Amino acid sequence: LGTILRYVGMVAAPLLLIVMASLAWTRSLHREVGRRTEELRASEARLRALFDYSPLGITVFTPDNRFVQCNQAMVDLLGYSAEELAVSEPTHPDDLEAGKRLFRRLAQGEIDGYQREKRYIRRDGTMIWSLISAAAVPGPDGTPRYLVLVNQDITQRKHAQEHVEHLNRVLRAIRDVNQLIVRERDRNALINEACRTLVDTRGYAAALIVLTNDEGHPVTWAQAGM
């Protein structure tokens, strides 16, 4: 009996230790899995909050250009519901081809991202400008799994820029015409050259100059462009 007890002690004790260690490791593993799961849930919640409450419009596509989702800011930006955006193309026709080329290069992994200005046609028919920042989200194999496009409304900035450019063009045109007045003494040649200068070099679609007499009646005129 003593021999049996010693044998059992020699065998059972290590087995008991192994079982206890295994149980302890299992509990530790469960705790670690639970902690990692909570961290993952918290991270997903943060990302979801950033997506949902971002002031910038965000859309997500697959590399084959299938719509996945968009946030509320994108809905507000264009006036379309998420369901409508999934089946519509609000991009301005003049910006479609350039956008398709960049999207295709991003989807094929040729570039990691890009930034460009583009125009949208909103649901109410108005046009807006957007600054797009696009990036690819890689999958486990490193190839693009999703494409994320972030849109910032820059319509007011573009209008202000266009206004400044227009004023600069007007000032340059005034300078050119003033130089013509100083240089050219023939009035017919002066107004014809002024019209041609405005259209050919200053970006005007049309120019018309009418000279009148002291009574305000037209005497002669010149035109260029449309």
Side-chain angles (χ1 to χ4, degrees):
L1 179 62
T3 302
I4 294 174
L5 289 175
R6 285 195 299 273
Y7 176 77
V8 170
M10 292 173 60
V11 174
L15 285 176
L16 181 61
L17 289 174
I18 291 173
V19 170
M20 292 177 63
S22 177
L23 290 174
W25 179 81
T26 301
R27 286 196 296 270
S28 175
L29 180 61
H30 280 302
R31 286 196 298 270
E32 181 65 17
V33 170
R35 185 179 67 82
R36 293 291 180 89
T37 301
E38 283 302 314
E39 289 178 353
L40 181 59
R41 287 174 179 169
S43 177
E44 289 177 345
R46 287 193 296 271
L47 290 174
R48 170 55 62 180
L50 288 172
F51 182 83
D52 290 339
Y53 299 109
S54 170
L56 303 178
I58 305 174
T59 52
V60 181
F61 295 88
T62 60
D64 58 354
N65 201 25
R66 285 187 294 109
F67 178 90
V68 177
Q69 62 180 328
C70 70
N71 65 351
Q72 185 60 41
M74 195 66 189
V75 170
D76 297 338
L77 180 66
L78 297 181
Y80 290 95
S81 67
E83 293 75 19
E84 289 172 326
L85 286 173
V87 295
S88 62
E89 177 50 85
T91 301
H92 191 284
D94 292 344
D95 293 339
L96 271 175
E97 287 306 314
K100 287 180 179 178
R101 286 194 298 270
L102 283 171
F103 188 95
R104 186 163 51 249
R105 292 187 64 198
L106 184 62
Q108 293 173 352
E110 296 179 11
I111 54 177
D112 296 326
Y114 64 83
Q115 192 173 77
R116 67 181 291 255
E117 295 178 356
K118 68 176 286 186
R119 291 163 289 182
Y120 285 111
I121 304 298
R122 301 185 77 251
R123 200 175 195 280
D124 60 9
T126 57
M127 188 194 79
I128 63 169
W129 281 93
S130 176
L131 176 64
I132 294 182
S133 299
V137 179
D141 60 352
T143 60
R145 184 175 183 183
Y146 296 107
L147 306 184
V148 179
L149 278 65
V150 179
N151 288 264
Q152 178 184 359
D153 187 355
I154 58 169
T155 305
Q156 291 186 352
R157 189 178 81 187
K158 291 292 290 186
H159 287 170
Q161 179 182 339
E162 290 169 356
H163 182 63
V164 170
E165 290 174 353
H166 172 71
L167 290 179
N168 287 335
R169 189 164 61 247
V170 170
L171 291 174
R172 289 192 296 268
I174 292 173
R175 181 198 63 192
D176 292 345
V177 172
N178 283 338
Q179 291 175 349
L180 284 173
I181 292 173
V182 172
R183 186 176 70 249
E184 183 59 66
R185 297 304 178 185
D186 181 271
R187 66 179 186 178
N188 289 325
L190 169 63
I191 60 176
N192 277 285
E193 181 65 15
C195 287
R196 187 196 64 76
T197 298
L198 294 176
V199 172
D200 291 350
T201 66
R202 292 305 171 207
Y204 287 88
L208 172 68
I209 298 177
V210 178
L211 297 183
T212 62
N213 58 22
D214 293 340
E215 288 75 35
H217 300 143
V219 175
T220 186
W221 62 278
Q223 67 88 30
M226 296 173 58

